[in-house]
Amino acid sequence: MQHRIIVLGAGYAGAVAAGRLARRLRREDVAITLVDAEPDFVERVRMHQLAVGRELRPRPFGEMFAGTGVEPRRATVTAVDADRGTVTVTDGTGGTGRLTYDTLVYALGSGWNTQGVPGTAEHAHEIAGRPGALRLRERLAGLEAGRSVVVVGGGLTGLEAASEIAESRPDLDVSLAARGDLGDWLSAKGRRHLREVFGRLGVTVHERASVTAVGADRVTLADGRSLPAAVTLWTTGFAVHPIAGATTLKTGDDGRIVVDGTMRSVSHPDVYAVGDAALVAGPGGKPLRMSCASGVPTAWQAADAIAARLTGGKLPRTPLRYVNQCISLGRKEGLIQYVTADDRAVDAALTGRLAALYKELVCKGAAWGVTHPTLGVPTRRRGVVREPAAQDPAVGAAA
Ligand SMILES: Cc1cc2nc3c(=O)[nH]c(=O)nc-3n(C[C@H](O)[C@H](O)[C@H](O)COP(=O)(O)OP(=O)(O)OC[C@H]3O[C@@H](n4cnc5c(N)ncnc54)[C@H](O)[C@@H]3O)c2cc1C
């Protein structure tokens, strides 16, 4: 009988995990099903580009996984029963189905995080996913010259979004509200460059500005001031979907599934979590942040660990660490901030056009890795053994 592996979510992490599993295991031994609500791969790291009117190449899952041994299935996951080993899904017609797994890879990613700020859900836009980016695109396209756009959040997504909007719509009055100082986690060179580019693009920066409420045409700050905002774009981090939190899986306060260094759930050994959905300790015990940069290596780690455990092979040790933060500042400018393994900025940064090109190559490389799921992965297919015998627990926190 085949071992049933179900991968939930075909974003960066889920698609990579499914492709790698197919490369590591023999088709006669395993049935790999990849479930996603969308028909094609969504390049989330380009949602700010989609929002300003750029087109993204469609990448249907059917084509991506043709001939790989992975069966894509279009359905929305509504629940997971981690004790019974089942997943409840609905299809496009509203029909409900139940899938049974022997091993589950949970990779449902994340969405935007309103942080409960009043008015945000009703009035703010978001670009954490495609529907939000398309709504913002429509709104921006209809926005007359001189109107104000306030980007809330001075993190990576906020910086990328503010510069992208300002560059593509110089006729709008774009500002950014950051809780701290602009780019305060970056190196001195990085901060300088950021100010320079924002200055050139005409982005007004409101520093130490906490937004406490969002209205239809303004945002209110903690100090009582308010900023006019024909459009408010909310980018204050990501939040995971509530599905895992509703199971008996051990989750962190933020709803991410707590996993060990092999990405295996600490409460349910037949469940793995990868990408934004996983709460895993990185270097120094610090949880990895939600990002492609760490999400893709978690997928490699999970796929290799599952294959090792099923075949009695050696458990892998994929390094889960950071190298740099790649920030686009419009299409012509960028900032590559080099960081320590645990994501703290060091003194070196690459700026300017070269940085923009570097960032573009990173995005292209990530999409290539996802859309060619079995290429570039050495085939090391081994037979599944009846009594999996990989040496456990070999891997602790990621190193
Ligand atoms: C504008 C923007 C820019 C970014 N830039 C960067 C960057 O430069 N570098 C970086 O490292 N990270 C960046 N990120 C973060 C990065 O996109 C995410 O961390 C990454 O996409 C997480 O990958 P994932 O596979 O865990 O989740 P996702 O990519 O979100 O994939 C999850 C998948 O699950 C599917 N899904 C979700 N819920 C369900 C359901 N109930 N049923 C069925 N399917 C479901 C979705 O359709 C999706 O395909 C950026 C994010 C945004 C929004």
Side-chain angles (χ1 to χ4, degrees):
M1 198 168 123
Q2 283 178 311
H3 184 93
R4 294 158 300 183
I5 301 178
I6 297 183
V7 181
L8 302 182
Y12 291 92
V16 165
R20 198 164 174 105
L21 281 164
R23 202 70 175 171
R24 293 276 184 260
L25 296 162
R26 292 201 306 228
R27 282 193 202 174
E28 57 271 34
D29 292 338
V30 289
I32 304 170
T33 307
L34 177 60
V35 182
D36 202 288
E38 298 289 337
D40 57 352
F41 172 61
V42 175
E43 233 182 318
R44 263 183 84 188
V45 302
R46 293 194 193 271
M47 288 302 107
H48 52 308
Q49 294 174 243
L50 185 67
V52 299
R54 290 180 213 287
E55 297 306 332
L56 301 184
R57 219 171 95 199
R59 296 176 156 110
F61 292 128
E63 284 173 23
M64 274 167 57
F65 288 97
T68 62
V70 174
E71 190 202 332
R73 173 157 180 177
R74 187 171 179 194
T76 300
V77 177
T78 54
V80 171
D81 186 332
D83 298 324
R84 291 204 169 83
T86 60
V87 176
T88 308
V89 295
T90 57
D91 61 23
T93 63
T96 302
R98 185 155 299 160
L99 311 175
T100 305
Y101 62 81
D102 298 306
T103 298
L104 183 74
V105 181
Y106 186 103
L108 291 181
S110 64
W112 67 317
N113 189 348
T114 66
Q115 301 187 333
V117 173
T120 305
E122 299 87 324
H123 302 298
H125 284 267
E126 52 96 6
I127 52 168
R130 184 161 56 189
L134 289 174
R135 265 195 303 276
L136 177 61
R137 177 186 172 114
E138 203 182 326
R139 178 77 180 108
L140 288 175
L143 204 60
E144 311 84 36
R147 302 296 300 279
S148 50
V149 177
V150 176
V151 177
V152 182
L156 298 171
T157 309
L159 300 182
E160 293 200 329
S163 43
E164 197 80 33
I165 295 169
E167 184 191 77
S168 65
R169 289 293 307 273
D171 58 322
L172 296 177
D173 175 15
V174 180
S175 65
L176 179 116
R179 192 173 268 156
D181 289 331
L182 182 67
D184 51 13
W185 73 95
L186 298 168
S187 62
K189 181 179 177 186
R191 286 196 303 271
R192 240 185 350 260
H193 185 66
L194 196 56
R195 279 193 196 277
E196 225 174 86
V197 175
F198 269 36
R200 246 184 282 143
L201 292 172
V203 178
T204 307
V205 181
H206 304 280
E207 295 173 297
R208 275 152 276 142
S210 276
V211 174
T212 51
V214 180
D217 59 358
R218 61 192 50 252
V219 298
T220 306
L221 305 182
D223 62 8
R225 280 183 301 148
S226 75
L227 308 174
V231 172
T232 300
L233 172 56
W234 194 263
T235 69
T236 64
F238 302 130
V240 294
H241 304 293
I243 293 172
T247 67
T248 53
L249 287 161
K250 184 170 169 51
T251 54
D253 292 343
D254 61 1
R256 288 191 282 174
I257 297 172
V258 181
V259 293
D260 65 14
T262 68
M263 308 311 296
R264 179 148 84 162
S265 155
V266 296
S267 59
H268 293 69
D270 49 351
V271 176
Y272 291 72
V274 294
D276 286 1
L279 182 57
V280 62
K286 221 164 105 181
L288 295 181
R289 79 181 143 85
M290 296 186 203
S291 65
C292 272
S294 48
V296 170
T298 65
W300 297 335
Q301 175 75 357
D304 290 353
I306 292 167
R309 288 191 170 111
L310 288 177
T311 60
K314 196 166 166 341
L315 278 168
R317 284 176 184 274
T318 303
L320 301 177
R321 57 151 299 158
Y322 295 94
V323 176
N324 52 32
Q325 295 176 6
C326 302
I327 312 169
S328 68
L329 299 172
R331 293 301 89 206
K332 301 183 196 96
E333 269 292 351
L335 171 58
I336 310 300
Q337 174 62 62
Y338 296 98
V339 296
T340 55
D342 66 348
D343 212 22
R344 285 170 296 121
V346 298
D347 244 352
L350 182 70
T351 58
R353 271 187 187 269
L354 198 57
L357 180 67
Y358 186 112
K359 167 78 197 221
E360 180 56 26
L361 290 176
V362 167
C363 293
K364 279 205 164 91
W368 191 91
V370 171
T371 53
H372 298 80
T374 56
L375 290 182
V377 182
T379 311
R380 265 187 259 133
R381 290 198 183 98
R382 295 163 56 106
V384 168
V385 293
R386 287 282 152 237
E387 296 294 329
Q391 330 81 312
D392 267 324
V395 183

